[in-house]
Amino acid sequence: MDSLIASLTARLGAARVLTAREDILPYGFDGTATLKQLPACVVFPRDAADVSTVLKLAREHRAPVVTRGSGTGLSGGSVPLPGAIVLCLAKMDRILEVDSANLTLRAEAGAITQKIYDAADAVGLFYPPDPGSMKISTIGGNVAENSGGLRGLKYGVTRDYVIGMEVVLADGTICWLGNKCVKDVAGYNLRDLFIGSEGTLGVVTQVLLKLLPKPAARQTLLASFTTMDAAAETVSAIIAAKIIPCTLEFLDQKTLRCVDDFAKVGLPRDAAAILLVETDGHPAAVADEAAKIGELCRAHGATSVRLAATDAEAAQLATARRSAFSALARLRPTTILEDVTVPRSELASMIRAVEIIAQKHALTIATFGHFGDGNLHPTILTDERDAAEMHRVELALAEIFEETLKRGGTITGEHGVGLAKKPFLKRQLGDASYELLRLVKKSLDPEALLNPGKIFD
Ligand SMILES: Cc1cc2nc3c(=O)[nH]c(=O)nc-3n(C[C@H](O)[C@H](O)[C@H](O)COP(=O)(O)OP(=O)(O)OC[C@H]3O[C@@H](n4cnc5c(N)ncnc54)[C@H](O)[C@@H]3O)c2cc1C
C-alpha cells in the first residue's frame, strides 16, 4: 500500500492525496445509516487523464477503487472497502458548455446538481431531475444512481436527460459515449449501461445533458385528507383525468407533523395524509389543470385545498417537502430511509402493509414519497446502539421488501442497491437476469477493482 500511495502522490501531487486519519474520516461513510469503513487514501483527480492514471496504478497494485461524488448516497454505494482508494470527483465541478442552439449542457461529473439547474435556468432552459439532495449531490453521483426527484412523474429521471458521457474504464481507457444528436442508433446503447451502474463499471468524468425550454408558469396545491386511501384514490383520479402534474408528493401524518415542527409552514397537522401537487407549462393550461386538480381533490374527500398564492409560498411548500428526511432525522439517533416502489394501484395497500409491519415490530416508521411514481420512503427512526431494536429493524426491512415484491414492485426506485439492498436483489431479479448482470460486470471489470462488493458480491 505504501508504494501505491507513493506513486499516487508522485503522479497527482501531495495536495491531491489524503492519507491522515483525520483527513480521510469524512470519506468513510455516506448518507446511509450504520455503514462505515475507512479507506486507505482519498485522491482528487483534476481531469479524466488523472482518473486514468489512478485506475492504472490501482490495477498494478490490485487495489479496489471506490468512486465518490458528494457522498449523499442512501444505499452505501460510496462507502469504502478496507484498503480502497476513494476517487473523489468533487473538485472536477465545472460547467463546460451550455449550448442554447442544441439545448444541451456539458459538465464535469463533480458539478453540483443545483449548479446545473441554475446554469440552464440562467438562459431560460430547464434541467428537470431534482433529487431532494440536489443542493449537494453531484451530477456524476446522479448518473451513477440514475437518481429521480420530485418532478419524476412528468419529466422522468436522470437517465432521460443523459445523451452523452465521458467514462474511464477499469483499465484506464478513456472513452466518449453518445453525442448531441436527437437520434442515434449506431451500435449498442452503451451509455445506458453506465447509467445506474453505481461506480461498478467505470468512472464517469463528464456528462452531456439534454435541456428543455423552461415552463412559463407553475402552480402549487396542498390538499389534506382524513385517510391515506382517499389521498391514493385522488392520485388515481388525477391520472385518470389525463392530467400529469410535474410533482405529486405525499406525506403521512407522522412526517407532516415533523416537517411542520421543522419548517413551520402551517401544514394541516390533523390530516392523515397530505398531497403536494405542482403543475407547470403554458399559463392557461396550468390554471386549467390546477382548477381541475382542486376539484378532483375535493370530490375525493379532501378536507382542504390550499393554492399557493405566490411563488415564495410555492417554494416554501416544496422546500418543506424536500426537508422531510432532515426533519425526521432529528427524532432519533439513526434514520434508515428506504425507497421501495410499487405499481401506483398498490400504493394504499403498501402503505397499510408498512404500518402493520411497524406495529408488529414496535418500530416508528414514517412514510412519505413520490406518490405519482409509486415510490415510497418508509423511514425507520431508530438507534443503532440498541442491538435488540436493530434486530427488529432488520426483520421489518426484510418484510417491507417482501411485501413490495409480492405487489410487483422493486426494492429500490432511485437510491440504488449498493451494500444496503444487495441481499435482496437476486430475489427480485431471478437467477437468469442476476447472472446477466454478473456477466456485464465481468466483461467490463474482469479484475473486480471498481467498487467491488456493491450491487452483488
Ligand atoms: C437528504 C437527501 C435527499 C435525497 N433525495 C433523493 C431523491 O430525491 N432522489 C434520489 O434519487 N436520491 C436522493 N438522495 C440520494 C442521493 O443524494 C443520490 O443517490 C445522489 O445521486 C448521490 O450523489 P452523490 O454525488 O452524493 O454520490 P455518492 O453518494 O458520492 O455516490 C453514489 C454512488 O455513485 C457512484 N459514483 C459517484 N460519482 C460517480 C462517477 N462520477 N462515476 C461513477 N460512479 C460514481 C459511487 O461509487 C456510489 O456508488 C437523497 C439523499 C439525501 C441525503
Side-chain angles (χ1 to χ4, degrees), residues 67 69-73 77 132-133 138 141-142 144-145 147-148 198-199 204 325 414:
T67 308
S70 294
T72 65
S133 52
T138 64
N142 293 173
E145 296 288 6
S147 294
E198 304 187 27
V204 179
F325 178 55
E414 54 182 22

Side-chain angles (χ1 to χ4, degrees), residues 30-31 66-79 87 89 109-110 113 130-134 136-150 158 194 197-200 202-205 321-322 325-326 337 339 370 375 377 413-416 418 451 454:
D30 67 359
V66 179
T67 308
R68 184 181 180 96
S70 294
T72 65
L74 292 171
S75 57
S78 57
V79 174
L87 180 67
L89 271 73
T113 318
D130 59 340
S133 52
M134 69 187 292
I136 37 173
S137 68
T138 64
I139 191 68
N142 293 173
V143 172
E145 296 288 6
N146 189 20
S147 294
L150 275 62
T158 304
F194 288 91
S197 66
E198 304 187 27
T200 63
V203 181
V204 179
T205 44
R321 157 61 188 90
R322 281 179 203 286
F325 178 55
S326 326
L337 183 127
D339 75 320
H370 316 292
N375 187 189
H377 290 313
E414 54 182 22
H415 296 161
N451 218 0
K454 307 294 170 64

Side-chain angles (χ1 to χ4, degrees), residues 73-400:
L74 292 171
S75 57
S78 57
V79 174
L81 300 127
I85 303 172
V86 166
L87 180 67
C88 181
L89 271 73
K91 294 189 197 294
M92 288 173 57
D93 63 349
R94 288 177 304 155
I95 307 279
L96 300 168
E97 181 193 63
V98 181
D99 179 347
S100 299
N102 285 303
L103 305 190
T104 62
L105 181 152
R106 190 163 55 87
E108 290 182 313
I112 299 294
T113 318
Q114 179 76 48
K115 198 167 137 185
I116 288 182
Y117 175 90
D118 292 343
D121 188 67
V123 294
L125 294 173
F126 180 39
Y127 175 67
D130 59 340
S133 52
M134 69 187 292
K135 286 191 178 154
I136 37 173
S137 68
T138 64
I139 191 68
N142 293 173
V143 172
E145 296 288 6
N146 189 20
S147 294
L150 275 62
R151 303 188 188 108
L153 175 61
K154 178 169 174 181
Y155 291 106
V157 295
T158 304
R159 182 187 301 282
D160 301 306
Y161 296 87
V162 180
I163 55 171
M165 65 169 74
E166 181 185 66
V167 60
V168 185
L169 304 179
D171 65 359
T173 306
I174 302 174
C175 59
W176 181 266
L177 307 170
N179 52 50
K180 289 185 184 176
C181 295
V182 175
K183 298 165 88 174
D184 176 12
V185 292
Y188 297 138
N189 184 352
L190 296 176
R191 194 178 62 232
D192 264 5
L193 200 54
F194 288 91
I195 301 171
S197 66
E198 304 187 27
T200 63
L201 300 182
V203 181
V204 179
T205 44
Q206 271 188 40
V207 287
L208 178 66
L209 301 167
K210 176 176 93 174
L211 303 176
L212 299 179
K214 193 157 93 178
R218 282 208 170 98
Q219 188 62 258
T220 303
L221 290 97
L222 180 80
S224 358
F225 296 86
T226 50
T227 66
M228 186 60 78
D229 281 346
E233 278 162 21
T234 306
V235 169
S236 305
I238 293 172
I239 308 282
K242 302 187 180 62
I243 301 171
I244 303 292
C246 108
T247 296
L248 192 33
E249 299 284 307
F250 84 101
L251 307 181
D252 73 359
Q253 190 178 61
K254 275 193 204 88
T255 312
L256 75 89
R257 286 187 177 177
C258 191
V259 165
D260 200 46
D261 289 340
F262 180 70
K264 309 227 172 345
V265 284
L267 296 179
R269 301 175 66 91
D270 291 334
I274 56 169
L275 288 181
L276 182 72
V277 193
E278 188 179 291
T279 160
D280 69 355
H282 186 279
V286 167
D288 186 42
E289 277 186 7
K292 282 191 184 135
I293 292 169
E295 281 164 27
L296 287 166
C297 289
R298 284 185 208 96
H300 286 83
T303 47
S304 74
V305 178
R306 170 173 151 197
L307 198 67
T310 59
D311 286 352
E313 191 186 349
Q316 197 186 31
L317 291 174
T319 306
R321 157 61 188 90
R322 281 179 203 286
S323 65
F325 178 55
S326 326
L328 288 168
R330 299 186 326 157
L331 295 189
R332 298 285 310 276
T334 309
T335 312
I336 298 177
L337 183 127
E338 281 308 333
D339 75 320
V340 290
T341 304
V342 291
R344 276 193 289 251
S345 55
E346 300 291 331
L347 266 169
S349 95
M350 186 64 210
I351 293 169
R352 271 197 299 275
V354 171
E355 280 166 4
I356 292 168
I357 291 168
Q359 276 167 14
K360 177 175 164 193
H361 295 288
L363 293 169
T364 304
I365 308 185
T367 303
F368 64 98
H370 316 292
F371 225 153
D373 304 341
N375 187 189
L376 303 179
H377 290 313
T379 306
I380 307 185
L381 307 171
T382 181
D383 184 347
E384 64 182 295
R385 295 163 302 185
D386 182 339
E389 187 166 315
M390 289 311 285
H391 177 63
R392 299 202 306 279
V393 168
E394 273 173 36
L395 296 176
L397 282 175
E399 286 175 26
I400 289 174

